[in-house]
Amino acid sequence: MEGLLFIVFVLLLLVWALSKPINSNQSRSMFKLGQKLRCKVTGFEGIAIVKCEYINGCVQYCLKPPAKDGKMLEGEYVDQQQLEIIDEGISNVITAKETGGIMPDMPKYR
């Protein structure tokens, strides 16, 4: 009986260990870039165009709202825990390419 309990304990420990990120600096993505997301706190909506992951484990997504009166609006960075999916947005339309260069909606330090 003790041997069976030990095996169950080891299996539970293994399942728990495999469910964790490989190291503390790797989080699991909750969203795909291109999805239309909404901030549950503010109601702000936009397409996820950037995923920003900090060394302390904080993960933010930049939400880019649609243009207004023909002018591009700035994206806002929101913690991933505050976000919810509205729909797939353009995630199935645009594919990533390695183009490099400066991005217009970089995080702003205040």
Side-chain angles (χ1 to χ4, degrees), residues 1 10-11 13 27 35 38 42 44 65 67 69-70 75 79 83 86 88 90 95 101:
M1 184 67 170
V10 169
L11 288 175
L13 187 61
S27 67
Q35 287 180 318
R38 176 187 304 119
T42 65
F44 186 79
D69 298 327
D79 289 348
L83 294 171
I86 296 173
E88 290 304 307
I90 60 171
T95 56

Side-chain angles (χ1 to χ4, degrees), residues 36 44-47 49 63-75 105:
K36 187 173 184 181
F44 186 79
E45 297 179 2
I47 299 293
I49 63 168
L63 304 186
K64 185 78 165 180
K68 185 175 184 180
D69 298 327
K71 295 183 181 178
M72 296 283 284
L73 301 175
E74 284 192 22
D105 286 305

Side-chain angles (χ1 to χ4, degrees), residues 44-78:
F44 186 79
E45 297 179 2
I47 299 293
I49 63 168
V50 175
K51 176 186 174 193
C52 186
E53 189 167 351
Y54 295 91
I55 195 166
N56 66 358
C58 178
V59 177
Q60 295 180 330
Y61 286 84
C62 178
L63 304 186
K64 185 78 165 180
K68 185 175 184 180
D69 298 327
K71 295 183 181 178
M72 296 283 284
L73 301 175
E74 284 192 22
E76 294 291 335
Y77 282 79
V78 182

Side-chain angles (χ1 to χ4, degrees), residues 89-106:
I90 60 171
S91 62
N92 297 326
V93 178
I94 294 181
T95 56
K97 297 178 185 173
E98 291 190 30
T99 58
I102 298 173
M103 302 316 249
D105 286 305
M106 297 295 290

